[in-house]
DNA sequence: CTATGTGAAGGGGTTCACAGCC
DNA sequence: GGCTGTGAACCCCTTCACATAG
């Protein structure tokens, strides 16, 4: 899903000896972190794996297994300290300090992203909004002035940006990605419905709205087909006569 | 990831004997469909698995394996007919006809979704926009009038809606989901950063922007750590003395 | 006695490599 | 000869069940 996973072996031989956390676990750590934050807001100081798992929408065995990759941060017979575990997960993800982020493409979606509080609340700070369109220049969105796309490299260098968000039309996405990589960005969150080619060492994650809907449609079709069948067959199991 | 997967065995015994397509494959079919559409637009009538795989951003073995679950729609020694394969995939997904969709929560993100052409272009038609806020009533967004949340059940019944999109704040998401399920919706695309509880038979897919960023941040942190190490150790492989 | 942490078993998905068909 | 379709090997992830620690 990321360039990292499709381009193993870029040249960094040993797989980071410290600890290597499975990708599936990495994808769930933010969910656990959010669940813990939610517990903390309700003044809950400690919780069992069962409780945290429920809050995160997974089963407790999976949660414990996931946490075991980070270390032993619980207490047997007791559970987990909410604040302590929160910190450990945040540290593992690397969101104990804020990451500067830029957004390229300030259309409807880009504006929504710029205004999205969830971005800034957890470890990210939008430092610039860029758009190529003449008519966007100088406008203010979410308290930031929209700047010309040509300023990309300058901004990335000045603000030490390593994460970029692409919310331009599909046709422009590859060009934007190329420019981002050229400027030194090494992680891209892509909202454009296009496949991006990036060099090894650059991670890309894709959020594709119509793909998600199509996956739902597939299951929806099957439900309809199943319902029809049930009508045809009456019940399904063991009537055999 | 969906309620379906966490709630197997709701009561529909046999696993649909026709064909059961792996979930991972289902998630890629829309990608293939888009790649094919893109080829068709360039007037390419047929392609090899290699070409299509490149356009879709996967390797050709995986593509062929995925397509093999649908049937044998290629020609050995030749490749695939673009239009024919497109139709077969669209039929399998269930997007040969349009699905009516409603969006609940017409804030920044909801408006962006309503305006998003990709929704309507491939198998989906937004039939209603709902919002609970008084001040949103009567406004027109993307050519549709915003209607009160209370009209949900009525609209779902009248338009035969089975897919709903949630773009409300996290605190309201569960209530909206409950109302959707009550009204008869059985597939939900959730943009709110919250875990939804739904009964068996209802599918939920989650799109969580800050989780995606945090996953990128994790890898970004590791890259930084690796770079430091490389500086410390010089080269990494086989120095052993 | 309770709840975590974890080897081991089981299930799915990806990749390989080649048989099969054009 | 070329490219698809697919069994088999491999690898990762999930789940189970219990040893372990408080």
């Amino acid at each position: 899903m990321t360039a990292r996973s499709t381009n193993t072996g870029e040249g960094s031989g040993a797989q980071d000896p410290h600890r290597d956390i499975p990708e599936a676990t990495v994808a769930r750590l933010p969910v656990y972190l959010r669940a813990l934050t939610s517990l903390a807001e309700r003044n809950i100081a400690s919780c069992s794996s069962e409780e945290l798992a429920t809050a995160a929408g997974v089963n407790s065995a999976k949660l414990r297994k996931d946490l075991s990759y980070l270390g032993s941060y619980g207490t047997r017979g007791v559970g987990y300290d909410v604040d302590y575990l929160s910190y450990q997960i945040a540290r593992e993800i690397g969101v104990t300090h804020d990451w500067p982020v830029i957004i390229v493409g300030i259309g409807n979606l880009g504006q929504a992203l710029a205004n999205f509080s969830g971005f800034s609340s957890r470890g990210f700070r939008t430092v610039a909004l860029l758009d190529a369109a003449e008519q966007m220049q100088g406008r203010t969105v979410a308290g930031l002035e929209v700047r010309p796309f040509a300023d990309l490299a300058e901004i990335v260098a000045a603000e030490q940006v390593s994460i970029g968000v692409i919310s331009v039309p599909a046709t422009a996405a590859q060009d934007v990605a190329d420019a981002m990589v050229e400027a030194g960005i090494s992680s891209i969150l892509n909202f454009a419905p296009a496949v991006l080619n990036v060099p090894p060492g650059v991670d890309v994650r894709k959020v594709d709205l119509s793909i998600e809907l199509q996956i739902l449609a597939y299951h929806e079709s099957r439900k309809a087909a199943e319902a029809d069948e049930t009508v045809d067959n009456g019940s399904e199991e063991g009537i055999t006569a």
Side-chain angles (χ1 to χ4, degrees), chain A residues 86-191:
Chain A
S86 289
Y87 174 74
Q88 293 300 339
I89 293 178
R91 192 175 55 80
E92 194 69 42
I93 298 176
V95 290
T96 45
H97 67 281
D98 274 12
W99 292 86
V101 170
I102 60 164
I103 301 176
V104 176
I106 315 301
N108 284 304
L109 181 58
Q111 292 183 33
L113 296 175
N115 281 294
F116 181 49
S117 59
F119 263 34
S120 38
S121 74
R122 262 296 157 195
F124 303 93
R125 186 169 43 91
T126 307
V127 297
L129 309 178
L130 310 189
D131 200 295
E134 194 71 53
Q135 76 250 28
M136 289 300 297
Q137 305 312 320
R139 282 206 212 175
T140 299
V141 174
L144 286 169
E145 187 191 349
V146 177
R147 300 184 55 177
F149 180 57
D151 290 2
L152 179 71
E154 181 193 329
I155 295 169
V156 168
E159 304 267 7
Q160 300 273 355
V161 180
S162 53
I163 302 178
V165 176
I166 297 181
S167 46
V168 300
T171 48
Q174 183 64 57
D175 288 344
V176 172
D178 291 344
M180 281 184 169
V181 170
E182 175 70 23
I185 281 177
S186 49
S187 287
I188 295 175
L189 181 53
N190 177 32
F191 286 88

Side-chain angles (χ1 to χ4, degrees), chain A residues 226-237 239:
Chain A
E226 246 170 59
D228 287 354
E229 236 165 66
T230 311
V231 171
D232 292 352
N233 302 354
S235 176
E236 295 140 69
E237 272 193 43
I239 306 266

